[in-house]
Amino acid sequence: MTKAIVYASTTGNTEAMAQAIEKGAKSSGAAVIMKKADEASAADILKADVLILGSPAMGAEVLEDSMESFFASIEGSLSGKKVALFGSYDWGDGQWMRDWAARVKSAGGTMVNGEGLIAHLEPDADAIKACEDLGASA
């Protein structure tokens, strides 16, 4: 099984989550592709069995620009794909993640982690454990 982790991070918080997810994914025996959103190739990522995508909340609870661009490039190809979402935020209540999960579902993707995994600011020990668990189980 191959798990692709693609993320954007502005302060390092979402990157810390991605690293914990990668650790969990590798512990499950999966082959892992990990890329920043502005370096990821849609063609390579879409070959994975599971897509694990991460973005911080920006502005009025929207995706970070490079993740928005990357996600828009694969959104039309998500039908039948297993997708997990994660990210960090500073304000708001997680609306950006609920909106993102709705976009995955509208595109025909299957959310494997409900409405997504979010952490407030820097992920604490519980959030890191949740990320490792997500990587292992997705």
Side-chain angles (χ1 to χ4, degrees):
M1 171 175 285
T2 302
K3 298 178 182 182
I5 304 165
V6 179
Y7 70 95
S9 188
T10 56
T11 63
N13 296 336
T14 303
E15 183 171 25
M17 294 175 78
Q19 290 168 345
I21 291 167
E22 178 186 35
K23 179 180 176 183
K26 286 182 175 179
S27 76
S28 75
V32 177
I33 301 165
M34 188 154 117
K35 297 279 185 183
K36 289 185 177 179
D38 59 359
E39 300 170 348
S41 156
D44 291 340
I45 299 308
L46 288 169
K47 292 176 186 174
D49 299 298
V50 181
L51 309 179
I52 306 173
L53 309 174
S55 176
M58 303 299 291
E61 289 209 64
V62 296
L63 297 177
E64 187 273 341
D65 288 346
S66 67
M67 178 51 75
E68 177 58 45
S69 294
F70 176 75
F71 186 73
S73 78
I74 66 168
E75 195 166 0
S77 302
L78 293 179
S79 183
K81 290 286 187 183
K82 293 180 182 177
V83 181
L85 302 177
F86 69 96
S88 60
Y89 68 102
D90 183 6
W91 59 91
D93 67 355
Q95 187 61 48
W96 102 101
M97 188 61 66
R98 291 188 297 275
D99 291 345
W100 197 10
R103 286 175 68 185
V104 168
K105 293 173 193 171
S106 290
T110 300
M111 286 290 298
V112 298
N113 69 329
E115 294 293 309
L117 174 62
I118 61 175
H120 184 248
L121 298 172
E122 183 176 353
D124 62 14
D126 290 341
I128 292 295
K129 173 76 167 91
C131 290
E132 291 174 359
D133 292 347
L134 172 61
S137 66

